[in-house]
């Protein structure tokens, strides 16, 4: 603040007697202005602008073997779930952290073999139906801000469809795949006709797809009731079969197995056009109806199917995976390999980053 000083000038007059000679007039010198230097104006130091970091979003990962990334070692969690310690949820968190988006992962309850209904029912691994893993929704609560995962394939009966179409899967090589063929009396060579023209196969598949739609609707409702502020991300499945099924006739690089073992080309065409494509569309519709986000991996992985050689993101049906069960190597059973896992993570991370508005 500037202060102004006032200068006071005092003039003294001399009185003289009349007899005294007149004095020369005294002319006072012109008063010089008194300049008081102003105090320097110092601008206050600029304070650093601190933008508070966004709070981490409390997140729960749910899902089946596609979220658990069956086949990628090492595993963690319940032994029955065969959940990889390096599954796509782990990679999603890493990707988002590098972009400044923080997720507080409260739980990853993804589990191999999970159906949609295992979100609200205990998942059983026993023929007797005894409960083995708690319902996945038990990890979700009022503070949950994000729920992410892949569910639908097991409810649609994909494993049973594969066994319906493969003689090898019906034997010892398929013992570790917990499913039965739809109709063991119908030969695998007639698989496409069984589902495409046969009444029994058509009705079975239609009922499965109807169950997917109904159960997804119930799942969204239950998550919404338990976590009203949560955003839900339903993750689709990577594409298994290419448009050109002739590419599936060659053995996988460095191996002796064909990508889909003994499943015929007509059955592979049905698996893509009659099963996976309709399932993808159904999952998208259910997510949109519920106001959830859908990650369409089918559309983005057409060049990395199980039959795309060195680029493939899907492990071959009966090719050994990274995981062993006792002294036995588990087959991939057409699950995402590490390349596929990274493609899953990239698609999911991009969707979450856009959803959270960063």
């Amino acid at each position: 603040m500037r202060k102004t000083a006032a200068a006071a000038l005092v003039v003294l007059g001399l009185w003289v007697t009349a007899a005294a000679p007149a004095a020369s007039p005294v002319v006072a010198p012109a008063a010089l202005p008194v300049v008081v230097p102003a105090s320097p104006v110092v601008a206050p130091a600029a304070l650093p602008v601190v933008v508070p970091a966004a709070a981490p979003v409390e997140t729960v990962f749910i899902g089946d073997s596609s979220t658990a990334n069956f086949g990628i070692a090492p595993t963690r969690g319940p032994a029955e779930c065969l959940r990889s310690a390096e599954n796509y949820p782990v990679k999603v968190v890493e990707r988002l952290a590098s972009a400044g988006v923080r997720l507080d992962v409260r739980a990853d309850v993804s589990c191999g073999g999970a159906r949609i209904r295992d979100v609200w029912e205990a998942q059983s691994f026993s023929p007797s139906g005894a409960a083995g893993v708690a319902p996945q929704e038990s990890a979700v609560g009022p503070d949950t801000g994000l729920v992410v995962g892949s569910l639908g394939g097991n409810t649609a009966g994909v494993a049973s469809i594969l066994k319906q179409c493969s003689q090898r899967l019906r034997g010892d090589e398929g013992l570790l795949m917990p499913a039965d063929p739809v109709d063991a009396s119908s030969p695998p060579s007639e698989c496409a006709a069984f589902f495409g023209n046969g009444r029994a196969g058509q009705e079975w598949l239609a009922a499965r797809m109807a169950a997917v739609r109904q159960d997804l609707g119930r799942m969204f409702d239950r998550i919404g009731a338990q976590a009203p502020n949560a955003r839900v991300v339903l993750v689709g499945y990577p594409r298994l079969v290419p448009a050109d099924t002739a590419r599936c006739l060659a053995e996988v690089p460095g191996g002796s197995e064909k990508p889909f073992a003994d499943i015929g080309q007509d059955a592979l065409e049905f698996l893509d056009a009659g099963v996976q494509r309709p399932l993808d569309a159904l999952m998208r519709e259910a997510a949109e109806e519920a106001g959830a986000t859908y990650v369409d991996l089918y559309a983005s992985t057409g060049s990395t199917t199980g039959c795309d050689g060195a680029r493939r993101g899907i492990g071959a049906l009966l090719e050994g995976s990274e995981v062993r069960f006792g002294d036995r190597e588990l087959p991939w059973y057409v699950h995402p390999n590490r390349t596929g896992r990274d493609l899953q993570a990239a698609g999911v991370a991009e969707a979450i980053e856009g959803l959270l508005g960063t």
Side-chain angles (χ1 to χ4, degrees):
M1 182 175 183
R2 180 176 295 177
K3 296 180 180 180
T4 305
L9 180 61
V10 180
V11 181
L12 297 178
L14 296 176
W15 292 89
V16 293
T17 63
S24 299
V26 178
V27 180
L32 297 175
V34 178
V35 179
V36 179
S39 300
V41 179
V42 180
L47 296 174
V49 178
V50 179
V51 179
V57 180
E58 183 174 310
T59 304
V60 174
F61 287 98
I62 62 175
D64 55 25
S65 56
S66 188
T67 308
N69 279 122
F70 164 86
I72 297 177
T75 60
R76 62 184 170 89
E80 302 94 334
C81 289
L82 292 169
R83 183 190 309 139
S84 173
E86 300 176 1
N87 62 352
Y88 82 66
V90 172
K91 298 302 176 181
V92 165
V93 172
E94 292 175 356
R95 282 175 174 268
L96 290 176
S98 66
V101 180
R102 297 184 297 159
L103 301 185
D104 176 10
V105 180
R106 292 302 178 92
D108 178 354
V109 291
S110 59
C111 190
R115 303 160 301 170
I116 301 168
R117 66 188 308 107
D118 291 321
V119 169
W120 61 87
E121 292 182 357
Q123 184 175 348
S124 175
F125 301 95
S126 168
S128 66
V133 175
Q136 296 189 13
E137 70 175 9
S138 61
V140 177
D143 294 330
T144 303
L146 186 64
V147 179
V148 184
S150 310
L151 281 162
N154 291 317
T155 301
V158 172
S160 290
I161 295 169
L162 291 172
K163 283 198 171 182
Q164 186 67 33
C165 301
S166 168
Q167 186 63 51
R168 291 178 64 181
L169 280 180
R170 296 190 190 191
D172 291 343
E173 292 175 292
L175 288 178
L176 297 176
M177 180 182 280
D180 295 319
V182 179
D183 182 357
S185 67
S186 179
S189 60
E190 298 177 8
C191 172
F194 173 78
F195 288 110
N197 303 321
R199 181 177 177 181
Q202 287 179 329
E203 290 180 349
W204 180 91
L205 186 58
R208 286 297 188 127
M209 291 297 182
V212 170
R213 179 179 293 279
Q214 180 179 354
D215 287 356
L216 281 176
R218 184 173 179 182
M219 180 191 78
F220 289 128
D221 287 344
R222 293 183 70 95
I223 291 175
Q226 293 187 211
N229 298 317
R231 302 183 185 190
V232 183
V233 178
L234 180 63
V235 183
Y237 298 97
R239 188 170 182 175
L240 302 179
V241 181
D244 179 11
T245 56
R247 285 158 41 195
C248 301
L249 298 177
E251 295 173 349
V252 298
S256 59
E257 289 286 353
K258 292 180 181 179
F260 289 89
D262 60 335
I263 297 180
Q265 283 185 263
D266 59 343
L268 290 177
E269 291 171 1
F270 165 75
L271 182 63
D272 181 60
V275 180
Q276 192 172 14
R277 199 181 306 166
L279 176 62
D280 179 75
L282 190 159
M283 292 171 67
R284 174 191 292 278
E285 291 169 6
E288 290 175 350
E289 289 172 5
T293 297
Y294 183 64
V295 180
D296 188 350
L297 294 177
Y298 178 89
S300 63
T301 55
S303 63
T304 55
T305 69
C307 304
D308 280 298
R311 298 194 312 273
R312 64 196 175 108
I314 304 295
L317 183 62
L318 293 175
E319 175 191 19
S321 74
E322 300 177 10
V323 177
R324 304 185 73 86
F325 186 77
D327 59 353
R328 188 169 183 177
E329 193 175 54
L330 296 182
W332 279 108
Y333 291 142
V334 289
H335 283 80
N337 56 22
R338 287 182 179 266
T339 297
R341 183 272 318 272
D342 291 345
L343 292 171
Q344 290 175 292
V348 175
E350 181 180 2
I352 293 176
E353 190 170 3
L355 184 63
L356 297 181
T358 57

